[in-house]
Amino acid sequence: MPSRKKTIMFASAFCTCVGSFVVICAALATPQWVSSEVRFFRTGTNLTVSLTYGLFRGTCEQLMDGGFQVSEKNFQVADSLSSPGNRSLNVAIIVVLVLALLSSLLSSGFTCTNAVSNPYQTFLGPVGVYTWNSVCGALTLIAMILFPVNVEGNSLSEELAYGCSSSLQAHITSRHSYGYSYWIMLLIIFLNLASLIIIYFYDHARYSKKKEQERPIENAPKDVILF
């Protein structure tokens, strides 16, 4: 059975890993990744399309300069994308987050195993926790980079706006504001770092104790040597 200290440390790391898993699920499920206001020229007037969307679904509404507003419309992101680049990058972000989800699940399993037992295999111990938490954090960071690239670089909002209205002409300006579904991914990275720090302190304390026990005999007291 593991020591009480080990159980507490790995149980704490388990909680952070489960928290990371839950937050990734929330990021995937919620459609508040970005809110965009895209202005277009239309014969006789200008039109602003307001969009709020995530990786799977979103909503849009149209507002003319005269004040006339079209009712809110729901749409599926995949169905509204015709550009291969935008579609591929959106799928890539989903795949990256699903891999991060699996990494977080594996890390939860490893920390739970160490909290209740002493596995003999090295990769099931702190090494495995380091690995899967690092992978999860890195994948989350990649997703945080790819999404703005798709929005800003590939004009994702503009393409989705064209899908909301069939009478749009020239694009004028765009303004983007990233929502909580995007920013909570920073919490995922923080939770993974917390797990790494907890396990590092446990591993470092264990290493120090082991070196203390293996102290050379010349460092022992003289009375012990005489004995």
Side-chain angles (χ1 to χ4, degrees), residues 62-76:
Q62 303 172 45
L63 179 64
M64 295 182 183
D65 283 353
F68 178 73
Q69 183 173 354
V70 179
S71 60
E72 191 176 84
K73 174 184 175 183
N74 296 319
F75 63 89
Q76 297 296 318

Side-chain angles (χ1 to χ4, degrees), residues 110-176:
F110 278 34
T111 50
C112 182
T113 300
N114 281 271
V116 298
S117 65
N118 292 313
Y120 293 105
Q121 295 89 344
T122 304
F123 70 90
L124 291 178
V127 173
V129 179
Y130 289 144
T131 301
W132 293 116
N133 274 279
S134 299
V135 169
C136 182
L139 290 172
T140 303
L141 183 60
I142 290 171
M144 290 193 72
I145 295 171
L146 290 179
F147 186 75
V149 168
N150 205 18
V151 173
E152 309 278 353
N154 289 349
S155 302
L156 178 62
S157 294
E158 287 82 342
E159 182 174 352
L160 293 173
Y162 276 111
C164 289
S165 177
S166 58
S167 57
L168 300 177
Q169 295 180 8
H171 169 246
I172 301 175
T173 59
S174 298
R175 186 174 62 184
H176 311 290

Side-chain angles (χ1 to χ4, degrees), residues 30-31 33-34 51-59 74-83 86-87 89-91 94 147 150 156-157 159-160 163:
T30 51
W33 280 63
V34 64
L51 307 103
T52 300
Y53 60 92
L55 298 176
F56 297 101
R57 66 186 189 279
T59 59
N74 296 319
F75 63 89
Q76 297 296 318
V77 172
D79 296 338
S80 301
L81 293 177
S82 56
S83 169
N86 285 342
R87 184 188 292 269
L89 200 51
N90 193 66
V91 171
I94 295 171
F147 186 75
N150 205 18
L156 178 62
S157 294
E159 182 174 352
L160 293 173

Side-chain angles (χ1 to χ4, degrees), residues 28-48:
L28 282 166
T30 51
Q32 304 293 330
W33 280 63
V34 64
S35 296
S36 299
E37 290 187 357
V38 188
R39 289 181 60 81
F40 293 91
F41 171 76
R42 193 164 72 174
T43 306
T45 184
N46 290 333
L47 178 71
T48 300

